[in-house]
Amino acid sequence: MNGLSVKHLLGIKYITKEDIELIFQTADNFKQVINRPIKKVPSLRDITIANLFFENSTRTKLSFELAEKRLSADVINFSASGSSVKKGETLLDTVNNILAMKVDMVVMRHPLPGAGQFLAKNIDAVIVNAGDGTHEHPTQGLLDAFSIRERYGEVAGKKVVIVGDILHSRVALSNIFTLQKLGAEVKVCGPATLIPKHVESLGVGYEPDLIKALEWCDVANMLRIQMERQDIQYFPSLREYTLQYGLNKNILDGLSKKITIMHPGPINRGVEVSSDVADSEQAIILDQVQNGVAIRMAVLYLLAGKID
Ligand code: CP
């Protein structure tokens, strides 16, 4: 295959299975690079990338920046806090001012769903969505599926349950699209109030009982309860949520088989997973973080071929 089918990475919905496979093959090579004593390659020399973060981030921001530096790109970082956004500047004006500094690619996290699409329609740079509100977080979906492939050899045929706050989760949607395109079976589990009404129309099953969901799956992806996006109360209390949907070591050890535990971070220890589950040998949470750098290097490298 000759490069990606898209100019921007706005969501997994808009890319093909072949695109995902190409990103994974490229990430396999970059994973070898970042485990060498000399971790840097000159692939993006003379390319300038702006990381625009209008919303908080630890993993995604650091991971993109490291990926860009490993590829020898020139990098500028922008956070909405402390910027002129606070003085009323529009998104388009902010980005056009940054582009006037001759930027080739923009990596953007934004609280509004569709912010990446808006930029892609209005500016010339290549856009990478680093999470747009409750819509998509495509590189998270890619790194999660890549981590499953690394654990099991392939994604096709695997059973994955995504547990928790599906309603507010861009990670859930990008995971669903990625896993289904690669041939995995996906279910969601959580309180009915946190499950989108249309979820079954995506070909995703709903299992309200945590133990049944865990007995069914090979992999459980435990999501964070996103209090910052919840405008009303969706369950009685966090304690009640943890009693119904929190994964602890007793539950994990009581299952009839060993399953793999994932979490996109940041973890609320003691809420969606207990500390001994998060730190257990069945958890691949830090492998996900390590794979995030290789996946983001692959995405940036492949999209750099689309710069006009
Ligand atoms: N997984 C994830 O998106 O984490 P951050 O919000 O810290 O970037």
Side-chain angles (χ1 to χ4, degrees), residues 56-61 109 130 137 140 170-171 264-266 296:
N56 295 345
S57 170
T58 300
R59 276 144 294 271
T60 312
K61 191 164 183 261
R109 170 167 290 192
H137 190 348
Q140 183 73 45
R170 54 193 174 213
V171 173
R296 289 175 176 122

Side-chain angles (χ1 to χ4, degrees), residues 289-305:
V289 176
Q290 191 188 131
N291 287 334
V293 178
I295 283 288
R296 289 175 176 122
M297 286 175 80
V299 165
L300 294 165
Y301 171 78
L302 291 166
L303 288 178

Side-chain angles (χ1 to χ4, degrees), residues 172-184:
L173 198 56
S174 289
N175 262 265
I176 289 167
F177 289 140
T178 313
L179 292 167
Q180 288 183 333
K181 285 183 187 204
L182 295 177

Side-chain angles (χ1 to χ4, degrees), residues 83-135:
S83 74
S84 291
V85 171
K86 298 282 172 210
K87 299 176 192 165
E89 191 169 67
T90 65
L91 173 60
L92 201 51
D93 278 339
T94 301
V95 175
N96 272 328
N97 274 276
I98 292 165
L99 290 181
M101 301 173 206
K102 302 287 174 214
V103 165
D104 303 295
M105 301 175 87
V106 171
V107 173
M108 184 171 74
R109 170 167 290 192
H110 200 279
L112 292 179
Q117 271 99 337
F118 173 76
L119 273 199
K121 280 192 193 124
N122 287 286
I123 64 171
D124 283 337
V126 166
I127 311 295
V128 183
N129 177 7
D132 60 333
T134 55
H135 176 224

Side-chain angles (χ1 to χ4, degrees), residues 35 59 131 232 236:
N35 283 300
R59 276 144 294 271
I232 59 168

